[in-house]
């Protein structure tokens, strides 16, 4: 039976980590996500025996994840924007060595030390690479505390299915707010040994090497082509999104995470005024639902898109690529930890689209 | 083929005949351990890495722990160590080997884990990881190759470069006023309670090579007993970047490195407590 609880986003995520049968968490405190490390430090080891270790830095955390993930165990870390920046080298190594692991970024406002308030300023970093070289993470964007729970299990599943790092891209508000969540039942810790894992070489197999170093260019290109082919497969199979009232809509709000919920409220306000507004919410930011948005843009009743984000306009670039000039794409963004209100989004809809609408 | 090369060919054949006569089964006093692969090493003549690799391989083979050992080799000349050692290995980012080793050991405490790091890796970019891994007393072995120079990138100043020593980035000699003094990281980690055994060895003479092997052997034995972190520094040569031949390098090591980095144990277990 599923268990319901009222929980803070960070703690709900940490609870899901324990229940997912995670083997090891390595992390370093940073607001607004320190509750994850705190909750795990208190609960995890006594319940499942999982390793919880406070590292000396985010740089150490991500490299501990590298080591543990290289043994085929479920390993993870979490942090917030500046800490995730410190991890980028390690993430690039992990992506190239094809190690499955879960990374959580409870995003705060930047650039620099910025603010501890919520932001979506790390979209480019998470979705387009962040570290050096051509690689991708699978990026999941929770919109509520329930998804902070559900995406932990999904994240580990996808990480092992594709041997790829998966990032949950949340924000400070999702981490700090409390909602009712349904928790999945405790899962077993992993017992199977991955064939590629470095667990000690038995006599009857070749040694396993975890590396991202291939000094010969033809080999390195081969690795790159393999990764790109994998990312294409991921695009085909793992694209996830949600549509709300898009069927009869004239204006589509595109938004991810917390902002998508605010957009839902804005759409309701708009409909009360007789403006038909729908919401399109990507749940995976990589892979991005280009095709779904492209098809939506082709529909006659759709006049245009308003992309809303807590940044200066990052996902909107992908929305524009997807719409591909079929309809106009407007943008509304707030930065520095300011969360947009439904009313200001409504005002933007009216400013940009009313008059053009029949 | 001219006369000279024909003569050389003949000589070579003679040498091969002689070698076959000498290297027959009953004369063998040393065999390559099965943990060491046949891959030709990329190290320069006179480099200490080859000897250090062999010592680790010998110890692993002798203890019979090949199936339970995972090595970590970070960026540096020894980043390709996995090409030579017949065990599961992870390559690590520059400076992060002890964090990677921590990750491995924490999820598989029953396995033997070691990292193999150079001076730039361990004592410059990876200083934080080194100190904290040692301070946590991770139950692993850290092998620290100190040759006072960055080998892989071509002879730049290392944290352990000696005062006055010329490198490509201290072309007028290391000026301690502006570049700092050589970092005695082994002395530093020896002060940490998490470190169980800490010693400095070298691979410049047969006697020192034997001592280095003993230190590595002891470290794996301590790891089996969950004693905590073992730290083995190996003072080593880098003839290519020191711009010397191997014989000169060994002499220079003896005369310059060892006075600054004296050999011997820096921390030994209190046997009474055990």
């Amino acid at each position: 039976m599923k268990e319901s609880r009222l929980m803070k986003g960070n703690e709900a995520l940490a609870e899901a980590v324990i229940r997912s049968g995670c083997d090891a968490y390595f992390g370093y405190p940073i607001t607004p996500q320190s509750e994850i490390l705190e909750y795990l430090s208190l609960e995890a080891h006594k319940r499942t025996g999982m390793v919880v270790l406070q590292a000396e830095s985010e740089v150490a955390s991500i490299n501990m994840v590298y080591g543990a993930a290289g043994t085929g165990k479920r390993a993870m870390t979490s942090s917030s924007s500046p800490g995730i920046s410190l991890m980028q080298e390690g993430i690039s190594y992990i992506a190239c060595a094809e190690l499955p692991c879960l990374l959580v970024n409870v995003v705060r406002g930047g650039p620099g030390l910025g603010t501890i308030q919520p932001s979506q300023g790390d979209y480019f970093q998470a979705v387009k690479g962040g570290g050096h070289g051509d690689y991708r993470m699978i990026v999941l964007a929770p919109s509520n505390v329930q998804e902070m729970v559900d995406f932990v299990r999904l994240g580990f599943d996808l990480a092992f299915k594709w041997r790829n790092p998966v990032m949950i891209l949340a924000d400070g508000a999702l981490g700090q707010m409390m909602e009712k969540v349904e928790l999945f039942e405790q899962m077993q810790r992993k017992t199977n040994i991955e064939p590629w894992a470095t667990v000690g070489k038995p006599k009857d197999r070749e040694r396993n090497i975890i590396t991202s170093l291939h000094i010969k260019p033809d080999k390195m290109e081969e690795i790159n082509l393999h990764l790109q082919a994998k990312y294409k497969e991921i695009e085909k199979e793992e694209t996830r999104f949600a549509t709300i009232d898009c069927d009869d809509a004239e204006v589509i709000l595109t938004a991810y995470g917390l902002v998508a919920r605010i957009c839902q409220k804005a759409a309701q306000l708009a409909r009360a005024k007789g403006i038909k507004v729908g919401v399109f919410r990507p749940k995976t930011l990589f892979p991005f639902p280009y095709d779904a948005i492209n098809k939506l843009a082709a529909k006659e009743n759709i006049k245009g898109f308003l992309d809303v984000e807590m940044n200066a306009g990052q996902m909107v670039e992908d929305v524009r690529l997807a719409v591909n000039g079929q309809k106009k794409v407007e943008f509304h963004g707030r930065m520095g930890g300011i969360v947009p209100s439904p009313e200001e989004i409504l005002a933007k809809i009216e400013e940009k689209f009313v008059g053009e609408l029949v | 083929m001219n006369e000279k090369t024909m003569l050389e060919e003949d000589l070579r054949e003679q040498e091969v005949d002689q070698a076959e006569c000498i290297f027959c089964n009953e004369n063998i006093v040393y065999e390559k351990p099965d943990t060491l692969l046949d891959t030709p090493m990329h190290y320069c003549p006179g480099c200490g890495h080859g000897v250090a690799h062999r010592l680790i391989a010998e110890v692993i083979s002798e203890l019979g722990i090949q199936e339970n050992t995972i090595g970590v080799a970070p960026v540096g000349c020894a980043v390709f160590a996995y090409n030579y050692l017949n065990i599961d290995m992870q390559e690590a980012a520059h400076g992060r080997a002890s964090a990677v080793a921590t990750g491995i050991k924490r999820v598989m405490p029953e396995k033997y884990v070691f990292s193999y790091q150079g001076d730039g890796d361990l004592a410059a970019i990876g200083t934080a990881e080194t100190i904290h891994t040692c301070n946590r007393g991770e139950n692993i072995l850290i092998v620290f190759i100190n040759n006072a120079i960055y080998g892989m990138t071509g002879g730049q100043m290392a944290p352990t470069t000696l005062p006055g020593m010329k490198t490509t980035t201290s072309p007028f000699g290391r000026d301690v006023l502006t570049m700092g003094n050589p970092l005695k990281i082994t002395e530093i980690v020896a002060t940490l309670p998490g470190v169980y055994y800490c010693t400095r060895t070298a691979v410049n003479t047969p006697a020192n090579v034997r001592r280095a092997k003993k230190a590595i052997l002891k470290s794996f034995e301590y790891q089996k007993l969950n004693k905590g972190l073992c730290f083995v520094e190996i003072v080593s040569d880098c003839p290519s970047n020191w711009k010397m031949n191997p014989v000169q390098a060994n002499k220079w090591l003896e005369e310059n490195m060892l006075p600054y980095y004296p050999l011997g144990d820096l921390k030994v277990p209190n046997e009474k407590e055990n």
Side-chain angles (χ1 to χ4, degrees), chain A residues 220-237:
Chain A
M220 196 64 228
E221 185 176 50
E222 188 187 311
I223 300 278
N224 268 282
L225 290 171
H226 162 73
L227 289 176
Q228 294 304 321
K230 180 173 84 172
Y231 301 148
K232 281 270 172 290
E233 285 299 309
I234 292 173
E235 283 175 347
K236 252 188 255 168
E237 287 190 36

Side-chain angles (χ1 to χ4, degrees), chain B residues 20-199:
Chain B
E20 273 170 8
C21 167
I22 295 166
F23 298 123
C24 51
N25 273 340
E26 52 267 33
N27 289 342
I28 287 176
V29 290
Y30 169 78
E31 267 184 299
K32 188 175 68 63
D34 57 355
T35 304
L36 205 59
L37 293 162
D38 287 327
T39 322
M41 289 188 181
H42 71 283
Y43 301 117
C44 309
C47 169
H49 277 305
V51 179
H53 283 17
R54 196 197 76 214
L55 296 183
I56 292 170
E58 282 179 5
V59 168
I60 291 171
S61 288
E62 284 165 23
L63 290 173
I65 56 173
Q66 207 174 343
E67 295 183 33
N68 293 309
T69 304
I70 297 108
V72 182
V75 171
C77 274
V79 70
F80 289 114
Y82 56 74
N83 284 335
Y84 313 126
L85 296 174
N86 192 18
I87 52 171
D88 280 359
M89 286 197 75
Q90 294 196 14
E91 175 254 332
H94 197 24
R96 318 301 168 213
S98 68
V100 170
T102 298
I104 299 169
K105 185 71 181 185
R106 287 289 178 127
V107 293
M108 294 192 304
E110 73 285 4
K111 306 281 178 173
Y112 297 89
V113 178
F114 72 93
S115 71
Y116 183 99
Q117 306 174 245
D119 40 51
D121 184 86
L122 180 138
I125 193 167
T127 309
E129 284 80 2
T130 303
I131 298 284
H132 285 277
T133 303
C134 290
N135 195 48
R136 285 191 304 267
E138 298 291 340
N139 193 32
I140 61 169
L141 162 64
I142 295 179
V143 178
F144 168 39
I145 305 293
N146 178 8
N147 55 17
I149 207 150
Y150 282 78
M152 188 180 229
T153 45
Q156 294 82 12
M157 183 177 69
T160 51
T161 293
L162 296 176
M165 183 176 163
K166 284 182 181 172
T167 70
T168 58
T169 51
S170 58
F172 311 107
R174 180 175 189 152
D175 173 8
V176 296
L177 289 178
T178 57
M179 300 164 180
N181 280 285
L183 188 63
K184 294 189 176 184
I185 189 109
T186 309
E187 275 80 352
I188 296 173
V189 302
T191 66
L192 302 172
V195 174
Y196 185 72
Y197 171 56
C198 182
T199 191

Side-chain angles (χ1 to χ4, degrees), chain A residues 145-257:
Chain A
V145 177
Q146 185 63 53
E147 284 182 341
M148 293 285 268
V149 169
D150 297 341
F151 286 178
V152 169
R153 191 161 66 172
L154 175 65
F156 274 124
D157 286 349
L158 293 175
F160 277 89
K161 179 177 175 187
W162 296 101
R163 278 191 66 184
N164 207 69
V166 173
M167 176 172 276
I168 295 178
L169 190 68
D171 65 63
L174 282 168
Q176 295 297 324
M177 70 193 205
M178 291 186 86
E179 284 189 301
K180 183 185 159 190
V181 287
E182 277 196 350
L183 298 164
F184 53 85
E185 279 179 40
Q186 179 66 48
M187 293 166 68
Q188 293 293 308
R189 297 264 308 276
K190 227 162 156 277
T191 50
N192 65 312
I193 294 171
E194 301 290 341
W196 47 264
T198 51
V199 294
K201 186 198 99 69
K203 285 199 170 57
D204 57 355
R205 77 150 159 80
E206 282 297 296
R207 66 202 201 284
N208 284 336
I209 308 294
I210 303 293
T211 184
S212 65
L213 173 68
H214 306 283
I215 210 111
K216 290 187 179 134
D218 48 352
K219 177 67 181 170
M220 196 64 228
E221 185 176 50
E222 188 187 311
I223 300 278
N224 268 282
L225 290 171
H226 162 73
L227 289 176
Q228 294 304 321
K230 180 173 84 172
Y231 301 148
K232 281 270 172 290
E233 285 299 309
I234 292 173
E235 283 175 347
K236 252 188 255 168
E237 287 190 36
E238 306 298 352
T239 308
R240 289 166 166 80
F241 59 88
T243 54
I244 302 114
D245 295 333
C246 286
D247 288 345
D248 67 338
E250 294 172 300
V251 176
I252 301 289
L253 299 173
T254 52
Y256 73 92

Side-chain angles (χ1 to χ4, degrees), chain A residues 271-288:
Chain A
R271 281 185 182 261
K273 282 190 155 190
I275 313 166
K276 289 176 183 164
V277 175
V279 178
F280 184 96
R281 171 168 86 92
K283 291 182 179 179
T284 52
L285 301 178
F286 180 83
F288 190 78

